Amino acid sequence: MEAIVRRVTVQYVSRQTSLAAALLRVYFHDCFVRGCDGSVLLKSPNKDAERDAIPNLSLRGYEVVDAAKSALEKKCPGVVSCADVLALVARDAVLVINGPWWPVPLGRRDGRISRKSEVNLPSPFAGIAALKKNFFDKGLNTKDLVVLSGAHTIGISNCGLINSRIYNFTGKGDFDPSMNPSYVRTLKKRCKPTDFRTSVEMDPGSVKKFDSHYFNIVSQKKGLFTSDSTLLDDPETKRYIDTQVATAGSSFNKDFSESMVSLKFSPGTKERSGGNVPSVNIFLQKKQSQKTTNIKMRCLTTVALSLSLFLVGLVGPIQAQLQMNFYANTCPNAEKIVQDFVSNHISNAPSLAAALLRMHFHDCFVRGCDGSVLINSTSGNAEKDAAPNLTVRGFGFIEAIKAVLEAQCPGIVSCADIIALASRDAIVFTGGPNWSVPTGRRDGRISNASEALANIPPPTSNFTNLQTLFANQGLDLKDLVLLSGAHTIGVSHCSSFTNRLYNFTGRGDQDPALDSEYAANLKSRKCPSLKDNTTIVEMDPGSRKTFDLSYYQLLLKRRGLFQSDSALTTNPTTLSNINQILKGSVEGFFSEFAKSMEKMGRINVKTGSSGVVRKQCSVANS
């Protein structure tokens, strides 16, 4: 069996050595979600499987795993799991490029569940605290973190993951001070500010060789990602790096082998029996039931869960799903309490309507609409601490509504439902569209800044980036155009768009897609320099308090404030949608906007037993 896997792996990797890094990465990503169960290999017709999540869109090498599986099925049909195949392929691929060997105990079973909403992988933007927590949650320690990071000695990444570090780290056109300036200059020659695709070596000069050179790079402040450079911020990880540099990696291969064994049996790994996993490569006795795990005939089989299994087995009883007037029996006045509070207070701060709508949007795009954007963090690594959320307002407003509801119906109404209801009511009371808000959402307790940074569309997005980020949430191009229409109200800060005015390509130039007269007005009257990060600017000049079609009219005049606004005119489909909206009535726009809001409000919601009702919206464990 192992000889068959090794033969197939050698055939592929010897022809394309870059597959070694790719296959090792696939295995790592698989084990970090639901354990090492092959769930990352599953396809979904709805694009909602693990492989459809942003961190996994650049994974490759699936064909090697399936080729090995096909060869095994001819010899031993229905015997060897895809999870075991992946574990062996990853090890053997590294061996082809003279990397370390490690024992691969076998007996994993394949999972049948694969959800992109569960993909919570260590982010390249993460600081040391977030990384340690992410690894600790998988049963891995600080040494495993730094050792496994050493896998960055092989492989490549792309400019899109580092451009903010080298061009606009704090929103002021600067680079990350933790990076070596000469390395930044080298990277800028390869990566232009709007380049999301060009490949970059993670270990310059040693990308095809599995060695300890990565630690030399990190020690010289040339780690490509924030997650690399932050290894110097922890005494234990820095000490390990210094040791490997001083001893030319004397223990790295041995340490890597040990950490890879630890990774194999991180929490959630499915085994064939309830006993211990042996330390030699033998199959365990076949004892485990196949209710939740199985041996798949093909590793890339489409995810096939019946609706009844999804509703009953995964998220509780059917009545726990979102429904209109969910609180009719448990808190009959819940929706009226929210509505009355908004009605009584929004007139004193009408700008909160746009702010609450933005909060709802940012909440739903990270872990689904679960109120996780409201959670405070003592270590500064919650969603609200991420750059896209630093200007989000209205947290106190939501907390005040929650306090009223807790006084009336303790522990009943979720913070996630409060955001959904309050954002709708605020828009309605300021003359905007109305939409249905089915309720029954439950609150999440996990809130990570790195996930907000990875999932919330930035104002600097081009069309491809927007399309990907919306598609990852199950939203199409029509939804993208309609939800962007929310920019017809509200304001932004100069820091969100001054690159377009002063340094679009890193050469002190202006975005040619921006109307020159509009740009001149912004420079002279609003944002006099690239360093201005406090001045407020209307997103829809002259109409920011009215929910209307003006935003779309400005787009056709090349006066969209953000790069993400002007990007909507660069694609035939979205441009056609804009023209159709403008040919219709405001009422027609309201109706279509409502449909997209209802759709957005259902993104990966937690219902039934899959979430909680937090007593304080800002406290995860309340």
Side-chain angles (χ1 to χ4, degrees):
M1 183 276 292
E2 291 194 40
I4 291 172
V5 175
R6 187 176 301 115
R7 183 171 62 250
V8 172
T9 304
V10 170
Q11 287 173 351
Y12 277 85
V13 179
S14 61
R15 293 196 301 264
Q16 189 178 351
T17 55
S18 64
L19 276 172
L23 290 165
L24 187 59
R25 184 170 177 239
V26 172
Y27 181 50
F28 183 91
H29 284 212
D30 182 50
C31 290
F32 259 66
V33 183
R34 290 187 166 267
C36 312
D37 66 350
S39 55
V40 74
L41 304 170
L42 289 167
K43 291 180 178 179
S44 166
N46 299 320
K47 298 295 182 183
D48 58 1
E50 287 175 36
R51 65 192 296 168
D52 301 307
I54 289 177
N56 291 334
L57 292 176
S58 57
L59 289 183
R60 60 193 187 90
Y62 297 117
E63 71 276 12
V64 183
V65 180
D66 234 29
K69 175 66 172 175
S70 295
L72 288 167
E73 284 299 306
K74 292 177 182 178
K75 284 283 187 179
C76 324
V79 174
V80 186
S81 69
C82 298
D84 273 345
V85 173
L86 178 55
L88 289 166
V89 164
R91 190 269 310 274
D92 293 345
V94 171
L95 279 174
V96 174
I97 60 169
N98 299 314
W101 179 91
W102 59 88
V104 179
L106 303 173
R108 300 164 190 79
R109 305 281 282 182
D110 296 325
R112 280 176 165 160
I113 298 172
S114 184
R115 303 191 193 109
K116 70 178 180 182
S117 62
E118 293 184 350
V119 175
N120 182 24
L121 294 160
S123 166
F125 309 108
I128 191 65
L131 287 175
K132 289 173 72 172
K133 183 181 186 305
N134 213 310
F135 274 68
F136 289 176
D137 288 346
K138 305 302 177 184
L140 300 170
N141 60 31
T142 303
K143 183 180 179 181
D144 294 321
L145 161 61
V146 65
V147 170
L148 292 175
S149 295
H152 287 182
T153 188
I154 55 174
I156 58 175
S157 184
N158 61 70
C159 293
L161 289 177
I162 62 166
N163 275 350
S164 61
R165 291 193 78 197
I166 62 178
Y167 284 109
N168 199 31
F169 186 62
T170 66
K172 300 177 180 180
D174 54 347
F175 64 84
D176 185 348
S178 70
M179 295 183 79
N180 184 305
S182 65
Y183 184 45
V184 172
R185 289 192 291 272
T186 299
L187 289 173
K188 284 185 174 181
K189 291 178 182 178
R190 188 162 186 82
C191 299
K192 302 308 176 187
T194 56
D195 183 354
F196 289 87
R197 296 185 177 181
T198 301
S199 62
V200 183
E201 294 179 350
M202 291 192 285
D203 185 357
S206 183
V207 69
K208 294 182 180 180
K209 186 178 180 182
F210 201 103
D211 56 21
S212 65
H213 188 252
Y214 163 81
F215 299 111
N216 296 68
I217 292 294
V218 173
S219 69
Q220 297 166 16
K221 298 186 176 182
K222 295 182 180 180
L224 192 64
F225 306 129
T226 300
S227 59
D228 294 321
S229 63
T230 197
L231 296 176
L232 297 174
D233 298 334
D234 180 87
E236 186 177 352
T237 53
K238 184 178 187 303
R239 186 163 53 249
Y240 185 87
I241 291 169
D242 292 341
T243 299
Q244 297 310 313
V245 172
T247 63
S250 60
S251 67
F252 174 52
N253 279 5
K254 174 179 175 292
D255 293 337
F256 189 83
S257 296
E258 292 174 353
S259 288
M260 285 302 295
V261 173
S262 297
L263 175 66
K264 288 177 181 62
F265 302 111
S266 59
T269 300
K270 299 171 179 63
E271 304 160 6
R272 285 196 172 188
S273 80
N276 294 327
V277 178
S279 59
V280 293
N281 291 345
I282 59 173
F283 278 110
L284 304 182
Q285 291 297 314
K286 188 174 181 181
K287 295 179 180 178
Q288 177 142 335
S289 164
Q290 295 192 22
K291 290 182 180 178
T292 59
T293 57
N294 69 336
I295 298 292
K296 296 195 291 287
M297 299 300 106
R298 293 184 65 245
C299 295
L300 306 184
T301 303
T302 300
V303 179
L305 289 176
S306 69
L307 181 61
S308 60
L309 173 62
F310 178 77
L311 293 179
V312 180
L314 301 182
V315 294
I318 292 176
Q319 61 264 30
Q321 299 306 295
L322 296 188
Q323 58 185 266
M324 297 304 296
N325 204 16
F326 176 82
Y327 299 106
N329 297 321
T330 55
C331 188
N333 293 323
E335 295 189 28
K336 187 175 188 304
I337 288 172
V338 176
Q339 187 180 66
D340 288 347
F341 191 96
V342 172
S343 176
N344 293 333
H345 295 87
I346 200 70
S347 58
N348 298 323
S351 64
L352 267 180
L356 292 171
L357 187 60
R358 183 174 179 234
M359 179 193 292
H360 186 31
F361 180 91
H362 284 212
D363 182 46
C364 291
F365 263 63
V366 184
R367 290 185 167 269
C369 311
D370 67 345
S372 54
V373 72
L374 303 169
I375 295 174
N376 288 338
S377 168
T378 55
S379 55
N381 59 3
E383 287 175 34
K384 62 166 57 175
D385 302 309
N389 289 329
L390 293 178
T391 53
V392 170
R393 299 185 299 120
F395 296 119
F397 194 83
I398 298 297
E399 202 71 69
I401 297 174
K402 176 65 171 174
V404 176
L405 285 165
E406 283 298 304
Q408 291 284 325
C409 318
I412 299 296
V413 184
S414 69
C415 300
D417 274 344
I418 294 173
I419 297 177
L421 290 165
S423 60
R424 186 272 311 273
D425 293 343
I427 294 298
V428 170
F429 279 109
T430 51
N434 190 3
W435 61 89
S436 299
V437 179
T439 45
R441 297 167 187 80
R442 304 277 282 184
D443 298 324
R445 280 180 163 161
I446 299 173
S447 185
N448 294 323
S450 58
E451 294 179 355
L453 198 62
N455 290 288
I456 296 172
T460 55
S461 295
N462 60 18
F463 176 78
T464 301
N465 194 34
L466 287 173
Q467 183 180 27
T468 298
L469 292 177
F470 271 69
N472 287 341
Q473 307 301 337
L475 301 172
D476 58 26
L477 293 183
K478 184 176 182 180
D479 297 316
L480 166 59
V481 173
L482 288 164
L483 294 175
S484 296
H487 287 180
T488 187
I489 56 173
V491 296
S492 182
H493 292 82
C494 291
S495 56
S496 295
F497 61 87
T498 44
N499 268 12
R500 298 188 75 197
L501 301 177
Y502 296 104
N503 198 32
F504 186 61
T505 65
R507 301 175 181 175
D509 54 345
Q510 181 176 297
D511 184 355
L514 191 62
D515 176 73
S516 56
E517 184 179 339
Y518 182 42
N521 181 60
L522 288 171
K523 286 181 177 179
S524 62
R525 299 186 180 185
K526 297 292 184 180
C527 307
S529 76
L530 189 61
K531 297 180 180 180
D532 188 336
N533 61 0
T534 57
T535 302
I536 290 174
V537 181
E538 298 176 351
M539 290 191 287
D540 185 356
S543 182
R544 74 176 179 88
K545 295 182 179 180
T546 307
F547 213 105
D548 55 20
L549 302 179
S550 178
Y551 164 76
Y552 297 109
Q553 294 167 346
L554 291 175
L555 289 186
L556 297 186
K557 295 177 181 178
R558 298 193 302 135
R559 294 190 175 189
L561 190 62
F562 304 135
Q563 188 176 343
S564 58
D565 293 322
S566 65
L568 299 180
T569 65
T570 64
N571 174 267
T573 300
T574 52
L575 181 59
S576 174
N577 285 331
I578 292 169
N579 284 313
Q580 288 176 11
I581 290 171
L582 289 174
K583 289 178 182 177
S585 62
V586 173
E587 291 76 19
F589 167 52
F590 278 18
S591 175
E592 293 301 310
F593 181 84
K595 293 176 184 176
S596 289
M597 283 302 301
E598 291 170 21
K599 189 174 177 181
M600 187 190 84
R602 292 180 178 273
I603 294 175
N604 293 327
V605 294
K606 295 174 175 62
T607 57
S609 60
S610 66
V612 299
V613 174
R614 301 198 302 269
K615 293 183 179 180
Q616 283 183 266
C617 294
S618 60
V619 181
N621 294 318
S622 61

